Amino acid sequence: MKRVFTVFALSALLSVIFSPPLYAATQASRYVVLFKNDQIPADAAQLVAGAGGKLVKTFPSAGIAIAESDKPGFDSALGISIPVDSVSFVRFRPLPGGPTFSQGKVTPTDDLFGLQWNIRRVKADQAWKVTRGSRKTVVALIDTGVAWNHPDLTRNVVYAACFTSAGSCAWKTPAGECPCSPYPDLDPHGTAVAGVVAAAADGKGMVGVGPRLGLAGYNVFELIAPDGIPQLFAFDDSVWSAMFDAAKRGYRVINISLGDLLDRTDDKTTIAAWTRVVKEILRQNVTIVASAGNDGLKLAGQIVHIPSDLPGVISVGATGIRPEPVYPLAGSFDVPAFYSNFGKPIDLVAPGGDCGVDGFCNDFSTFPPNWFEFGILSAFVCPGCKFTADSSPFVGVTGFGDDSACVATASCQTDYTWFIGTSFAAPHVAAVAGLVIDRFPYFNNFFVTTILKESAQHLGNHPHFGSGMVNAHRAVGGR
């Protein structure tokens, strides 16, 4: 059967890898305020008003507030208040770039497990002999939302919500009453992440690492035009709101397949705020997994990748496979993905895929015929896609937009595609964490992290690999 898979241009990933991160300089009216001793004083609103601003949101357990002001010098004026530690612009995180690869159209009746070398590489198929998880254990995905109408996801999605600068909303709220969309309205990224975690094992389509785990999809992205060109970003406080909501609902694992680079000196307030949030979420016995980033950089010294580099967060780098996208295969071996950040902060690695050649994947003439299969096959949704059909090797999706009709009814077209990036490595680890917790619900998050590291397959003392390849079978106690 001929298969045709939708595709993003490979240049989309390369443009992210080799471009500097964009920050919220154009959102000067929104500020993050850190109060001393991690406590928000009773007169916080008055302090903000006295400096010429308005208090719009608080995270009480972390001592963080979000304020708005158009008054010049607001941050300096508020910063001298005795209870205030520091003030800075609210930053936003770009959506990680990544390609999907095209080679035929997949129908939901196809069994695609044979193409999922990544699932076997992390020994998930062997772990299923011990446990496949259950919807009692929920992995929360802080991302672009999850398409709960996808046939491989519908049975496992237990909740969805959105948090943006415009407000928040829970799924199944009547149309027209939400300031944002719990359903993915701008990009399929979160749906692909969800497929890696918990696509159902129903004998058709694909399968996730934990095929019976619960999924909670959070859409935190919105269109922002820092340079006059609309792009997808997530404000820090939107991500924090989703994290606190997930913890409040008792979801034991949070996957964050987003982030960017910050400077320890220039971005002290932002890093300190993130550190507080993570510390509080960890205190609520939640395991946090995050992608290490697609900058191809050694993480050390002054530059940090947030949130993956923060203490207590499991940082996941990406690998590819050689010589063929098949596992197990005699003579097969792992390679560091060319785009994956590396260095001391990396805790674990998992398949993130590449194009099947060593180097930067920028010369199509060197690609093997099955280059797309070296990526990670996962679920796809198309909110307002624009399709092409030309003779170039990069055929398929050329853009996304808000298709309000299918978004409003949660009925956008679904399919399957290949992706690459640390975004798709991280959910392998998040799913294994979910399987461990589902089998041993009395384990705390510190013990879960220890198990994941100690059960990993050691790949040598390489700065790309951390403790090694996550091993689902060993992690759940398989022998």
Side-chain angles (χ1 to χ4, degrees):
M1 178 185 298
K2 182 182 179 182
R3 302 179 185 274
V4 177
F5 290 82
T6 49
V7 101
F8 299 143
L10 182 61
S11 59
L13 177 65
L14 300 178
S15 66
V16 172
I17 294 172
F18 300 111
S19 298
L22 298 172
Y23 298 124
T26 58
Q27 298 292 327
S29 63
R30 302 184 73 233
Y31 297 84
V32 57
V33 184
L34 268 64
F35 290 97
K36 295 175 181 176
N37 302 317
D38 295 0
Q39 294 182 347
I40 298 177
D43 61 345
Q46 290 81 3
L47 289 172
V48 172
K54 177 183 178 182
L55 190 67
V56 295
K57 184 189 295 186
T58 61
F59 301 94
S61 60
I64 299 172
I66 304 299
E68 292 181 352
S69 177
D70 292 323
K71 182 178 180 180
F74 166 78
D75 52 342
S76 298
L78 183 60
I80 63 174
S81 300
I82 294 177
V84 174
D85 190 337
S86 59
V87 183
S88 179
F89 296 134
V90 174
R91 308 292 192 182
F92 48 69
R93 311 287 146 215
L95 179 68
T100 59
F101 304 146
S102 161
Q103 226 10 255
K105 185 154 185 82
V106 177
T107 64
T109 57
D110 289 335
D111 179 5
L112 304 176
F113 182 62
L115 297 171
Q116 292 186 272
W117 61 268
N118 55 301
I119 299 297
R120 288 181 288 275
R121 180 63 192 90
V122 300
K123 308 297 178 66
D125 55 331
Q126 296 181 33
W128 299 336
K129 300 174 184 178
V130 180
T131 178
R132 295 190 174 199
S134 73
R135 285 182 289 278
K136 294 185 297 182
T137 302
V138 178
V139 179
L141 310 175
I142 315 298
D143 216 291
T144 63
V146 173
W148 56 82
N149 65 313
H150 194 290
D152 278 339
L153 302 177
T154 185
R155 69 175 62 184
N156 288 337
V157 177
V158 301
Y159 184 71
C162 58
F163 291 90
T164 68
S165 62
S168 63
C169 190
W171 71 338
K172 300 181 180 179
T173 300
E177 298 182 14
C178 283
C180 55
S181 175
Y183 188 86
D185 58 340
L186 296 169
D187 195 272
H189 190 273
T191 298
V193 170
V196 174
V197 174
D202 55 7
K204 55 186 177 181
M206 62 170 294
V207 61
V209 173
R212 293 178 183 169
L213 291 171
L215 293 166
Y218 288 88
N219 186 357
V220 296
F221 280 87
E222 55 192 288
L223 286 172
I224 305 170
D227 298 313
I229 301 174
Q231 300 175 68
L232 288 179
F233 293 95
F235 283 104
D236 280 346
D237 60 302
S238 299
V239 178
W240 300 338
S241 293
M243 293 173 70
F244 277 107
D245 187 80
K248 180 180 178 181
R249 294 178 183 277
Y251 303 152
R252 293 285 304 276
V253 183
I254 291 176
N255 184 88
I256 307 177
S257 286
L258 60 88
D260 66 3
L261 302 173
L262 296 179
D263 185 280
R264 292 184 186 275
T265 300
D266 296 342
D267 301 302
K268 279 185 177 180
T269 298
T270 299
I271 295 172
W274 266 100
T275 301
R276 289 190 187 188
V277 170
V278 165
K279 180 180 178 181
E280 179 58 25
I281 298 298
L282 292 173
R283 191 186 66 81
Q284 298 181 54
N285 199 26
V286 176
T287 299
I288 305 174
V289 180
S291 55
N294 300 333
D295 309 284
L297 298 177
K298 183 175 183 178
L299 299 171
Q302 191 71 6
I303 303 300
V304 294
H305 187 267
I306 298 298
S308 62
D309 284 7
L310 295 173
V313 176
I314 301 174
S315 176
V316 183
T319 61
I321 194 168
R322 298 289 186 275
E324 292 292 333
V326 177
Y327 190 89
L329 178 69
S332 68
F333 59 96
D334 305 292
V335 296
F338 71 93
Y339 51 82
S340 182
N341 289 340
F342 60 99
K344 186 176 179 180
I346 303 300
D347 293 304
L348 293 163
V349 292
D354 59 19
C355 60
V357 299
D358 296 334
F360 288 120
C361 290
N362 56 359
D363 183 358
F364 184 76
S365 67
T366 67
F367 290 12
N370 62 339
W371 59 276
F372 45 88
E373 293 184 7
F374 285 84
I376 305 302
L377 182 67
S378 195
F380 179 79
V381 65
C382 189
C385 294
K386 300 175 183 178
F387 291 96
T388 65
D390 57 35
S391 59
S392 75
F394 304 111
V395 179
V397 180
T398 59
F400 292 87
D402 183 1
D403 180 350
S404 57
C406 76
V407 170
T409 58
S411 60
C412 294
Q413 177 184 346
T414 62
D415 213 315
Y416 306 86
T417 83
W418 277 285
F419 297 78
I420 74 172
T422 57
S423 288
F424 311 104
H428 290 83
V429 176
V432 176
L435 290 177
V436 171
I437 292 169
D438 194 76
R439 188 165 189 231
F440 307 105
Y442 44 85
F443 285 178
N444 63 29
N445 52 1
F446 174 80
F447 197 33
V448 170
T449 299
T450 301
I451 288 173
L452 294 179
K453 291 181 179 181
E454 292 187 351
S455 63
Q457 179 185 346
H458 188 55
L459 298 179
N461 294 320
H462 196 293
H464 283 273
F465 298 135
S467 294
M469 177 70 68
V470 66
N471 186 319
H473 186 229
R474 290 183 60 189
V476 299
R479 295 291 184 268

